Amino acid sequence: MIEKGALNEVPMFGKRSEELSHISERMHLGLSVEEMSRMQVYFENEGRNPSDVEVQAIAQAWSEHCSYKSSKIHLKKYIFGIGKEKVVAEGDAGLVSLDDETAIAFKMESHNHPSAIEPYGGAATGVGGILRDIVSMGAQPIAVTDVLYFGTKKIKGFPSPKFIEGGVIAGIRDYGNRVGIPTVSGGIVYSEFFSPNVLVNVGCVGVVEKKRIRSSAISKPGIKLIIAGGKTGRDGIHGVNMASAVMESGEEDISTVQLGSPITKEPLIHAVLEANERGLVYALKDLGGGGLSSVVGEMLQSGGMGGRVLLDRVPLKESNMKPWEIWISESQERMLLAVEEEKVGEVLEIMEDWDITAEVIGESEEGKRLRIFFAGERVLDLDTDFMTSPVLYERPSSIKERRIVQVLPKNPTDFGKILMGMISDKNVRTREYVVRQYDHTVRGSTVIGPFTGIVGREGPSDASVIRPDWNKESGVAITHGSNPFYSQIDPYMGGKAAVDETVRNLISVGAEPLGFSDCLNSGNPEKPEIMGEFIEMLKGLHESAYDLNLPFVSGNVSFYNEAGKRRIPTFPTILGVGKVDTISNAISPDFKGTDRSIYLVGIPTTDMGGSLYYRRLKIDGGRVPYSDPKTLKRRGWNLLRAIRSGKVSSVHDISEGGIATAISEMTIGSGIGALLDLSPLGLRADFAMFSEPQSGWIVEVKKDREREFEEILGEDSMYLGQTQEGSFEVVRGEEKLVSVGLDLILRNWKRGYL
Amino acid sequence: MKKDVEVAILTMEGTNNEEEAYQSFKHSGASPEMIHLKKLENGTKKLSSYDILFFPGGFSAGDYVRAGAVMAARMRSRLMKDLEEFVESGKPVMGSCNGFQTLVELGLIPNVEEKYGLEAALAPNISNRFEARTVYLKISKGHCLFLSEFEDGEIIKLPIAHSEGRFVPKDKKVLEKIVKNGMNVVSYVNQLGNPAGYPWNPNGSESNIAGVCNREGNVLGIMPHPERVFYKYTESDWTRGGGKGGMGNPFFRGALKYSIEKY
């Protein structure tokens, strides 16, 4: 019980609601009146006013960022529980099984708000945070990924898109390269949608021996809490509250962005994993949003324990920090290890060996009370259940009536010119100017990287493949899917399309999809139309994952990506992982030889809404391509069977820019052309070439394996033409539609780079 | 003849290629060990008890100063004598990427004056940015023990990943001696095996130098990463067929063979 008048008491007793909301504002708590009154009732029952540490701790735990209070009800309904038998464990990251001994841990999350304010630091700490989530499961990170969404328009009061882009890329590069984990997969999408609300979605994949998977729950008294890694400072205070509100301008809130130190992180990963490898770690968790407050609270609460922490023991960057600042600071590169008393010495020795600062700061206790002391005084004394259980909201939602107007553009004449425009479009052309600044071969395990094909003229790959254990033949495939353009028109189909693309990419390298992480980006959930979009997106994700029977093992929700009247579409970025059973069966999209048969798996569509073709023609509207998960499953898994049994020499999925763009990309890494005849497709030539049918692939089949291939794929495959030397040609019967040289394709694809 | 070849892979905060270096030695049949620089400094471990010394790449001490400078300075102040003895005893020493930078900062490479002075630098790439790509390299093996398993003139492909890799000798004399002594053992070339500009030479290195061996043939500094391509499946173009085995593999085989025969 805290004595009245001791420390910094927050007078809440008997206050009216406007006074409560004034307190929330003054202390930057970001809580509603309803939440403040709930706190008031709790402390009235305790017979006292809360301390500032207590109020801040509760505000952290109840923030949208930490508690998912606006999304949890819906996530439970649509996302949790699908494909459960495939989930090995869940926590800071989710795990699926690679083989009998090994699990894959992976997660994708957003670092949108910090990156919009301070792009370099925001993006760098995004990488740092996601790495810690993987290490928290006891797993060795093997790959970092990032999908970035940049604006194209300067908005008054916010930094220019160029500045943001430069900062974000440099932040990822400088952190990722220094920490020694390859950045192997990702994407960049440019659109006016993301001015000024840039999105930085970062993912990480790791592997762990199943018996070494750690949880974060502490369910025994007397377990010591060790804070390890970076020291605690004033950087990143109230980060979670900032991430749970609409941006007012680009200049505020800069103190809420943390500072990263990759060369502290690199040995910290080693040390923590070594301690885990030696069986010394009881439980662990990373210190991210909400700092010690969130982590200690959750570790104890999830195991049904209470505990005590001595704040004076926390190693600090600056000496005059207030207790509440120490308790909620989001300083980077910190982990909390729960260790049985007799193992503490050994753990501290390992830390010492790696030059890591580590300190015992508290322990678990029977009961449900968490007590925090500072300078001999009790500054927090709370029931952990109360602290970690926010009000969940089922916010009002409304679905916007959409009138689908199918528009028919004029029949084009110069198809070659249209195609070259697409290849050099800023959303299609090479990402080498960014990706070649990321180390994608460190750890020496990259089997398929971001670029494949002939050295010196590599083209894009669909997914990356990492061989985590040099003694085994299995590989982990990693990729992403998202399409904000579809989602902007139709959040439901956009959700399905994101899953479709993820699965297509995994199949394209010869991997069996194992599961997804969903990083959900949206606007202000307090607006009914946004909540409506959010729910529609979830329905799309649900239907696809359910039919595929693949789990979402982890994810995050980023609301409030709004500034003034500008907001982003509601859409997911999906991180998908798959298993390549034998790496020698992995496959890349560059054509392998001339005079081989090219097949289309899938059917072109007349639904052109959101397609690159329509966007370039500035056609607003039209139905977005339809993804049917049952079709996806049939085609995808049959194609996988054909790949694994050696019928196929290259595969590329059909995405932005349709069949013609996909085939152009297959010529880039190979220097091998193609001759297609569109006659069997029976559609308008532009729709045949440029529509973006879902669940579609272009496949180069090995010589004399055509019959076997057709037998496996059945009616889902259609012969389109042959690979050839020198050029890419498209005809329809006698009519010549496209004839372009391979060097022209290469030059257009490399536009802006070299 | 020695059966168990012990390899010290030197680490400090910011080195980060130790894992693939460790695996490459392990899969070559050696007994590698990661040694934190601290343990050599405080005497817990002794350099002389190892047969091969490897400086991994990465960003030692963050590379916020000049690449490799901090690690080299720490070694110069406490361990230079041990290091000189190790080198002079003829044992293999190799550094890749940041390890090459450290070897140059330590004066072990190129060391044409044989005074362990600073005779070269690895300057920022001419593109002024980090470059991660696969490069073609020509081997001029001389008597560099790490290259004994290659054919002379062989063209290989290895990944690079660095922002400071432009080899710049202190003066013309140093460059002349490097060339005259055949110490420029690994050079950037194009796909036809000929010298060419960016991006074939990814950093603008003088005389297309990618790797330099000391005159005695036992110290190799190289910007590309042999340790990342131990098996065929990490060659960036392996899906196009061909390839007999990882192109980085012979570096390790060569060093191991040497150690087994000599000791």
Side-chain angles (χ1 to χ4, degrees), chain B residues 153-192:
Chain B
E154 196 173 335
I155 308 295
I156 63 167
K157 289 166 275 180
L158 290 178
I160 55 134
H162 60 250
S163 49
E164 293 170 51
R166 177 160 54 99
F167 185 82
V168 185
K170 193 176 71 180
D171 50 39
K172 243 176 110 183
K173 228 172 64 197
V174 171
L175 183 62
E176 276 167 17
K177 285 196 175 169
I178 290 174
V179 176
K180 190 173 133 247
N181 296 334
M183 293 158 68
N184 52 336
V185 290
V186 186
S187 311
Y188 300 111
V189 290
N190 66 10
Q191 82 277 30
L192 303 169

Side-chain angles (χ1 to χ4, degrees), chain B residues 64-119:
Chain B
Y64 295 111
V65 201
R66 198 168 60 238
V70 174
M71 186 166 191
R74 267 177 77 174
M75 295 196 75
R76 265 187 190 280
S77 72
R78 310 274 293 272
L79 299 163
M80 203 54 201
K81 213 176 123 265
D82 292 355
L83 203 55
E84 285 173 17
E85 276 172 19
F86 194 94
V87 168
E88 283 162 18
S89 72
K91 289 179 178 175
V93 177
M94 177 170 160
S96 67
C97 200
N98 196 226
F100 183 14
Q101 293 157 347
T102 306
L103 287 175
V104 167
E105 290 285 328
L106 281 168
L108 297 176
I109 291 285
N111 199 22
V112 290
E113 301 293 336
E114 303 191 0
K115 288 180 193 149
Y116 300 117
L118 189 61
E119 296 175 345

Side-chain angles (χ1 to χ4, degrees), chain A residues 542-590:
Chain A
H542 171 88
E543 283 177 23
S544 291
Y546 184 84
D547 281 345
L548 295 162
N549 194 31
L550 288 171
F552 292 100
V553 298
S554 58
N556 96 319
V557 179
S558 173
F559 282 126
Y560 299 101
N561 293 289
E562 293 198 25
K565 282 195 175 137
R566 307 189 60 86
R567 67 172 184 93
I568 62 156
T570 297
F571 75 100
T573 306
I574 306 290
L575 164 65
V577 301
K579 175 187 177 164
V580 175
D581 55 354
T582 313
I583 47 170
S584 55
N585 283 339
I587 202 164
S588 63
D590 41 309

Side-chain angles (χ1 to χ4, degrees), chain A residues 82-207:
Chain A
I82 304 168
K84 233 185 161 74
E85 71 282 0
K86 295 186 176 157
V87 183
V88 175
E90 281 176 288
D92 284 343
L95 294 97
V96 293
S97 187
L98 176 64
D99 56 39
D100 290 345
E101 301 95 46
T102 322
I104 307 169
F106 64 108
K107 186 184 184 182
M108 172 155 259
E109 68 177 12
S110 57
H111 230 236
N112 302 341
H113 297 264
S115 305
I117 296 167
E118 208 286 87
Y120 182 86
T125 52
V127 176
I130 198 74
L131 278 162
R132 285 197 309 276
D133 281 329
I134 299 306
V135 174
S136 291
M137 306 308 294
Q140 167 68 53
I142 58 169
V144 170
T145 75
D146 51 80
V147 185
L148 312 172
Y149 302 88
F150 294 126
T152 50
K153 199 172 160 185
K154 164 95 175 89
I155 305 296
K156 215 170 152 244
F158 291 89
S160 76
K162 266 264 158 281
F163 172 82
I164 299 239
E165 179 176 349
V168 165
I169 289 162
I172 292 170
R173 175 194 64 207
D174 289 353
Y175 198 103
N177 290 352
R178 279 192 165 82
V179 85
I181 307 299
T183 301
V184 293
S185 178
I188 301 176
V189 178
Y190 295 98
S191 167
E192 217 182 279
F193 300 151
F194 307 110
S195 295
N197 295 289
V198 54
L199 304 182
V200 173
N201 292 176
V202 287
C204 185
V205 181
V207 290

Side-chain angles (χ1 to χ4, degrees), chain B residues 7-12 15-18 21 25 37 40 47 52-58 60 68 71-72 75 79-80 83 86-87 92-104 106 108-109 146 219-222 224-225 227:
Chain B
V7 184
I9 296 166
L10 212 48
T11 69
M12 70 175 287
T15 53
N16 63 26
N17 299 176
E18 56 264 26
F25 279 111
L37 185 56
L40 291 177
L47 260 191
I52 297 176
L53 177 59
F54 188 88
F55 289 84
S60 52
M71 186 166 191
M75 295 196 75
L79 299 163
M80 203 54 201
L83 203 55
F86 194 94
V87 168
V93 177
M94 177 170 160
S96 67
C97 200
N98 196 226
F100 183 14
Q101 293 157 347
T102 306
L103 287 175
V104 167
L106 281 168
L108 297 176
I109 291 285
F146 292 95
V219 183
L220 173 68
I222 181 170
H225 288 281
E227 72 281 7

Side-chain angles (χ1 to χ4, degrees), chain A residues 590 592, chain B residues 157 232 235 237-244:
Chain A
D590 41 309
K592 301 298 185 303
Chain B
K157 289 166 275 180
K232 170 182 154 184
E235 282 175 12
D237 58 354
W238 74 268
T239 55
R240 302 194 62 73
K244 8 178 199 176

